[in-house]
């Protein structure tokens, strides 16, 4: 079973805390069969005409070109992502005007692949951001791959945004739940007992209770009911 992007990100942050964000993205891209992963953040502390925060696995030459030419101001992917709330598949972007065609043409010269999806990250307190997945899979393979990974990629974007904001403000990122901790909370949210959850997950009852205990501790709550409510409000789990 392939480890989800978000879980692998948390593992790398814990096991190798000295890794730079771009290095973590490079590991994730390689392990998940992507050509590139990129984070671009317009944080409120960096607004007012200053450059966005970028962490990427793209060719350094393309990053330098992108920053020198202020391409974030004309990038159609960024523009569409910041306007809406849904992931933007590059294949669905109109490429009728010359500026857009030239932009994508130049990007491909620097190794940016044809298929991509950009995920808007909404943070009303600290600003907006975009997480982009880039691939050279054939279009039908890409669409299948994207369907399987998009939900986890959205959560990865939220984790990255939390860490970026913590780095700027000096604060601590929000609570981090492991994949198993989220899973037991999801089953608790739909009324399953610890025993029923153990049967579903094919683990022991004590293992389920262990994950519930850890989740409660991380969320700073006294019981699983409160843990479920807080996890849903924080968008750590969805039902």
């Amino acid at each position: 079973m392939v480890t989800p992007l978000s879980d692998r990100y948390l593992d790398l942050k814990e096991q190798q805390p000295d890794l730079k964000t771009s290095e973590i993205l490079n590991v994730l891209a390689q392990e998940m069969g992507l050509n590139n992963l990129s984070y671009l953040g317009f944080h409120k502390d960096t607004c007012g005409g200053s450059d966005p925060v970028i962490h990427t696995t793209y060719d350094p030459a393309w990053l330098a070109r992108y920053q020198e030419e202020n391409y974030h101001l004309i990038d159609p992917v960024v523009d569409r992502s910041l306007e809406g709330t849904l992931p933007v598949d590059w294949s669905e972007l109109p490429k009728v005007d010359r500026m857009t065609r030239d932009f994508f043409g130049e990007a491909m010269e620097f190794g940016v692949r044809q298929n991509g999806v950009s995920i808007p990250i909404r943070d009303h307190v600290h600003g907006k951001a975009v997480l982009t997945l880039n691939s050279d899979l054939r279009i039908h393979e890409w669409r299948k791959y994207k369907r399987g990974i998009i939900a986890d990629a959205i959560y990865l974007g939220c984790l990255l945004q939390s860490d970026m904001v913590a780095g700027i403000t000096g604060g601590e990122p929000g609570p981090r739940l492991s994949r198993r901790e989220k899973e037991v909370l999801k089953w608790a949210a739909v009324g399953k007992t610890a025993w029923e959850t153990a049967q579903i997950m094919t683990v022991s009852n004590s293992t389920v209770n262990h994950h519930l205990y850890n989740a409660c501790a991380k969320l700073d709550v006294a019981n699983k009911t409160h843990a479920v409510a807080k996890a849903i409000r924080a968008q750590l789990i969805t039902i």
Side-chain angles (χ1 to χ4, degrees):
M1 183 177 179
V2 178
T3 302
L5 273 170
S6 54
D7 281 358
R8 186 68 178 117
Y9 174 79
L10 294 174
D11 288 343
L12 289 169
K13 291 284 290 185
E14 181 178 351
Q15 297 166 5
Q16 302 183 58
D18 293 332
L19 280 181
K20 297 178 181 178
T21 301
S22 58
E23 293 172 332
I24 293 177
L25 293 180
N26 189 57
V27 172
L28 294 178
Q30 289 183 5
E31 293 184 353
M32 300 305 294
L34 292 164
N35 291 87
N36 292 291
L37 268 172
S38 186
Y39 168 93
L40 184 149
F42 295 90
H43 304 144
K44 291 187 177 179
D45 286 355
T46 63
C47 287
S50 59
D51 294 335
V53 175
I54 302 177
H55 297 282
T56 184
T57 65
Y58 288 133
D59 186 332
W62 173 239
L63 175 59
R65 174 73 173 167
Y66 193 97
Q67 292 175 315
E68 288 170 2
E69 298 296 328
N70 289 318
Y71 275 166
H72 64 279
L73 299 175
I74 65 168
D75 188 338
V77 172
V78 171
D79 184 57
R80 180 69 68 87
S81 298
L82 295 178
E83 281 183 354
T85 58
L86 297 177
V88 177
D89 191 308
W90 295 7
S91 65
E92 299 171 0
L93 287 171
K95 301 179 179 67
V96 294
D97 64 281
R98 183 174 179 177
M99 180 181 292
T100 298
R101 292 196 303 270
D102 288 348
F103 174 81
F104 276 106
E106 184 178 359
M108 291 183 69
E109 291 177 4
F110 283 91
V112 179
R113 305 305 182 179
Q114 181 176 351
N115 294 312
V117 61
S118 295
I119 300 166
I121 304 167
R122 287 289 177 269
D123 185 341
H124 297 296
V125 176
H126 302 105
K128 300 177 181 180
V130 181
L131 176 68
T132 293
L133 286 65
N134 183 236
S135 171
D136 62 1
L137 290 172
R138 294 184 178 182
I139 188 63
H140 66 282
E141 296 173 331
W142 164 247
R143 287 171 178 165
K144 180 179 179 181
Y145 179 90
K146 184 184 70 173
R147 287 196 299 270
I149 202 174
I150 194 68
D152 187 46
I154 292 172
Y155 183 48
L156 172 64
C158 293
L159 293 176
L160 278 164
Q161 175 70 355
S162 177
D163 283 338
M164 295 304 104
V165 168
I168 292 171
T169 63
E172 291 294 326
R176 303 295 180 77
L177 300 182
S178 71
R179 178 172 57 87
R180 286 296 200 180
E181 289 160 1
K182 288 184 285 184
E183 191 172 357
V184 297
L185 287 181
K186 284 182 179 181
W187 287 119
V190 295
K192 300 297 183 183
T193 65
W195 182 86
E196 290 171 326
T197 299
Q199 300 305 303
I200 295 169
M201 295 174 60
T202 62
V203 297
S204 68
N205 195 59
S206 61
T207 296
V208 172
N209 285 326
H210 172 73
H211 290 310
L212 285 171
Y213 175 84
N214 285 342
C216 288
K218 289 180 179 180
L219 293 166
D220 193 25
V221 296
N223 56 63
K224 71 177 182 181
T225 301
H226 190 185
V228 167
K230 191 167 184 178
I232 293 174
R233 284 199 302 272
Q235 297 183 338
L236 299 175
I237 64 170
T238 56
I239 307 304

